[in-house]
Structures are given as C-alpha cells and as structure tokens.
Amino acid sequence: MTHVMHRSMSGVPPLAVSSSGNFIFDSKGNSIFDACGGAAVSAVGHAHPRVLEAMHRQIDTLAYAHSSFFTSEPAEKLADFLTANCPGDMSHAYFTSGGSESVETALKLARQYFVEIGQPGRSKFIARFQSYHGNTLGALGVGGSMWRRKMYDPLLVEGHHVSPCYAYRGLKSCESLEQYTDRLISEAEAMIFALGPEKVAGFVAEPVVGATLGAVCATPSYFARLREICDRYGILLILDEVMCGMGRTGTLFAFEQEGIVPDIVTIAKGLGGGYAPIGAVMIRSSIADAIRGGSGAFMHGHTYNGHPLACAAAMAVQEVIHDEEMLANVKSTGKYLQDQISARLAGNNCVGDVRGRGLFVGVEFVSDKHNKTPFDAEIKFHARVRQAALARGLAIYNMGGTVDGRSGDHLLVAPAYSIGKAEADLIVDRLVSAIDTAQQEIAAHA
Ligand SMILES: Cc1ncc(COP(=O)(O)O)c(C=O)c1O
C-alpha cells in the first residue's frame, strides 16, 4: 500500500523512473512521449544537459540561503534577466515556489500598494468565470471555476466574476467580434460599478486561458480595452501567465501579443521548466516605488523565496530557450501542430474547436458539432481520450468542465519548445487514434 496521498485515492499512478528529452520512462518499461510537459511545464524537455550541469554546479556552491539574511547570485541574475526581457517598466521580480504562491503574492502586493498610496478602501478583485489561478485560498477565491471552489467556499477570499472572452461559446450568431468584445467590456465595467470603482484593487486574467478552457485566446482588442477600463478606474491589471507565459505562446510573455503592459504578471511553470519548483511575480516600477517610498517593505515572504538552486535551474532553462532559438520554433512548429490537428480532426463530429497559440493547442470536444452540445459529464470523454493516448505512449493534459465547470471536455497539447515536425506528426497520429478509440468506447456503451 502507498503512504503517499496521491491526487486520486482510488489507485496509484505509474511509477516514473527516468526521463530524457521528450520522454518519461516508467517502471514497467513504458516510454511515454510527453506532449503536455505535465501541465505545460517542461519547456525545454527533460534532462537537458545544460540545465543539469547548472544545477549540479549550484548545489556544489550554495544550495540554500534564507532570503531574509542573504541574496544570491542566481536570484540576482534571474531577476536581471526577467526585468530586462519583460516589456514595459517592470522593475522587480519577486520569487516564489510556484504558480499559486505567485498569485497569492500578486493579490497581497496589489492590496499593499493601495494601502501605501492612501487608497485603503481598495480590496476587491474581479476575475473571469472558468478561470483557474491556483488552489491556495486567495488564488482559488479569485478563480472562477465554481466546481473547484464549491467545497472550500466558506474559506475563500472574496472574488467577483465576469464572463471569459471565449468566442467559441460566447459569441452570438448576430454579433461581430468587436460587438462581442464591447459586450464583455461593458459587463466588466458594470461589475466595477456594482462593487464601487474605489473599492476594486485588481482585475485578474490569463492572456491565453489554459487548464480550465483549453488554450483560449481573447478577441483581438479585448486586452487593450480591459487595460483602458483598468486605467480609467485606477485598477491594477494582473495577468496570470503561470501556464501561458515564458515562451509557451511564442513570445517570452504572452501579453506581448496583446499590445499592452500589465501592472503585475505572475509566472511559474515554464520559468523553471520542471527542473525546480519556482515562480515569480513581475512588478511594475510604480508599485515597487510606492512600497519603497512608503512602508519600505513588502509584508509577505516564504521560506523558499529566491531559492538559489531553483533560480539557477530557471536561469539555465531561460538560457537554453534563448540560445537554442526556441521561441521561433514555438511559433513555426506550433502553427504546424495546430494546423495538422485541425486538418486531421476537421471531419470529426466530436471535435468542436481546435485553438491556441504557439505550442499551446487546445481541442474542445462536443457530442454534436453543429449545436456545440457537450458530452454528458458522466461519460468523462476527456479522461477516455487521455487513457487511450497513454495506451499509445502519449501524455496529453485533459480536463472536464469546459462549459460551466461541470460539463464540457477539452485537452491541451503543450510539448517542449524544441519539437520538430516529426515529433508533431507523432503527437497528431497518436492523438487522432486515441480520440477514435474514445469515440468507439462511448458508441459501444450507447
Ligand atoms: C493560470 C494558472 N495560474 C495558477 C496556477 C497554479 O499553479 P501551481 O499549480 O504551480 O500552484 C496554474 C496551474 O495550473 C495555472 O494554470
């Protein structure tokens, strides 16, 4: 019997014993092609020699020093890199140990900023339905996935939610994309007024919605319009790039493709690429200045902030992405991958939408393509596809609840930034065949 409390207590997952490049190997001798990097984490693949070498070097030098006593070379170097490569006037990076911690940090930072500048009435956060910002109480509280929140509702930080920018389901047949965007922005503005503009601290959104919607990009002007209303009412725009950031969509920061600069950005997964638990919050100079010129200290902190080994691993991952020119590959191979998936699944009645940006591709499943009717949630279509894919040696990220937190199925394909056309073809072949199998299974049970 296992003594590890696994995510599901109904079984023990396969034992992973080693990994290399695009593959994870289990104790039964199976090689699994990692087409999702776990949860869009493994940006440069597994066991990259440069990252391993940098980590070994760092362990031999300085594995840990508490951030209340010391800074470290890896933390300083990584912060220099991130601030230099983040568009806009981001002057600081605050290091965390992962995505949820980054989001908690962003919320507290926003709150402290307003206290520092003499606006202590601002404490409310607006986010979007069907968003996921992490599982800690603040992050879950702002998150808009009602099913995930339900059990913990009495404990959560108060969050207020508006519709996501999700044209596949939200766009009305009589509307243009501009009209749809107008409607969403009016809804956001109405929420600001309902809460009281002087009480709202931040608007939290993922530039490309990953886990909960399956790589959904916004309409072309959505983020620029959101930036405008945040500015109009003095609200901070907090972009959660934990999943879509650090090159996943073809630019280091996903917001670069929206033509705006946010006030705070959270990052994590692709930052350390899975080599070490690390996240960060990018902070605009006006916010850092307000704290420096006010109380002088951010009232926050965790034991592993700026962990030297994690920072060294992340720096090496970022150097690999840069030196191996992976972002150009994310764009070109990402387009090829998405085009192939779209083409191969075009005639499939259970594939409602194929979408995404860069090497971040989502597939949404439906029981009827014409009416966009989701499958009965009990069928767990997404889990069937995952199982069938695993049986073919392919790991993909699956999720249910796409439509309303309960019904709807999608999957994410998010492989390493270095894959070429041959690997993309392998992913598409195995994925198409896995979807066929899942369809045959439900047809057999109908
Ligand atoms: C957008 C987003 N924010 C926050 C998180 C939470 O990150 P973590 O699981 O590292 O706490 C996730 C995780 O999937 C995420 O996708």
Side-chain angles (χ1 to χ4, degrees), residues 79-430:
D80 287 350
F81 168 84
L82 289 171
T83 50
N85 288 281
C86 187
D89 50 352
M90 301 286 166
S91 61
H92 290 76
Y94 184 97
F95 293 118
T96 69
S97 298
S100 302
E101 223 181 77
S102 293
V103 173
E104 296 290 329
T105 301
L107 302 179
K108 288 178 76 177
L109 185 67
R111 168 66 189 159
Q112 184 169 341
Y113 166 72
F114 284 117
V115 173
E116 302 277 5
I117 64 166
Q119 298 186 33
R122 288 193 191 262
S123 62
K124 297 185 187 296
F125 290 93
I126 304 174
R128 290 138 6 126
F129 286 112
Q130 294 304 91
S131 60
Y132 179 63
H133 297 298
N135 261 332
T136 48
L137 299 179
L140 195 60
V142 293
S145 171
M146 296 305 146
W147 167 78
R148 282 183 178 77
R149 298 165 52 104
K150 200 163 183 262
M151 165 93 73
Y152 303 105
D153 245 342
L155 309 181
L156 300 182
V157 162
E158 190 185 325
H160 303 273
H161 301 101
V162 294
S163 304
C165 189
Y166 176 24
Y168 175 64
R169 289 197 178 273
L171 180 71
K172 293 181 182 162
S173 54
C174 57
E175 264 177 339
S176 66
L177 281 181
E178 289 72 25
Q179 288 166 330
Y180 175 47
T181 310
D182 282 347
R183 181 157 60 83
L184 293 172
I185 295 300
S186 301
E187 186 188 338
E189 202 166 10
M191 176 61 86
I192 294 170
F193 273 102
L195 296 171
E198 72 294 346
K199 293 191 180 144
V200 181
F203 193 105
V204 186
E206 264 182 287
V208 181
V209 186
T212 41
L213 284 185
V216 168
C217 301
T219 55
S221 60
Y222 176 80
F223 277 101
R225 302 280 309 280
L226 205 54
R227 178 72 269 181
E228 263 167 38
I229 60 164
C230 285
D231 287 343
R232 192 174 314 142
Y233 301 108
I235 295 166
L236 297 180
L237 179 59
I238 302 170
L239 294 186
D240 182 353
E241 297 212 359
V242 164
M243 197 181 242
C244 63
M246 304 321 288
R248 175 60 57 201
T249 65
T251 44
L252 197 58
F253 291 87
F255 73 76
E256 291 175 51
Q257 297 177 58
E258 305 297 339
I260 54 147
V261 176
D263 300 297
I264 297 176
V265 188
T266 56
I267 51 178
K269 299 174 192 283
L271 176 60
Y275 288 87
I278 183 166
V281 181
M282 302 305 300
I283 305 161
R284 221 169 177 173
S285 58
S286 49
I287 298 175
D289 290 348
I291 295 179
R292 194 187 5 242
S295 65
F298 182 26
M299 281 282 288
H300 187 57
H302 292 281
T303 301
Y304 295 124
N305 286 150
H307 193 287
L309 181 60
C311 289
M315 192 64 242
V317 167
Q318 299 312 311
E319 281 167 357
V320 166
I321 292 172
H322 176 268
D323 296 352
E324 297 185 18
E325 298 178 358
M326 287 186 179
L327 296 187
N329 188 58
V330 169
K331 284 187 186 142
S332 57
T333 308
K335 183 176 180 324
Y336 176 78
L337 177 67
Q338 190 173 332
D339 287 350
Q340 291 301 307
I341 294 177
S342 297
R344 294 277 298 276
L345 295 174
N348 189 320
N349 191 44
C350 84
V351 174
D353 195 26
V354 177
R355 58 206 177 209
R357 189 174 283 165
L359 281 169
F360 201 32
V361 182
V363 179
E364 180 168 342
F365 298 108
V366 285
S367 67
D368 179 326
K369 194 169 180 154
H370 182 66
N371 300 321
K372 303 183 181 175
T373 317
F375 281 109
D376 178 347
E378 299 300 318
I379 289 176
K380 289 197 182 307
F381 190 78
H382 62 93
R384 289 172 186 269
V385 177
R386 170 204 171 103
Q387 265 321 107
L390 268 181
R392 286 159 178 77
L394 184 76
I396 44 132
Y397 183 100
N398 64 299
M399 190 59 72
T402 328
V403 180
D404 54 12
R406 232 196 100 57
S407 60
D409 302 81
H410 65 264
L411 60 82
L412 273 176
V413 181
Y417 301 172
S418 49
I419 68 155
K421 284 190 174 168
E423 285 93 353
D425 289 340
L426 174 152
I427 294 171
V428 178
D429 285 345
R430 293 185 188 180

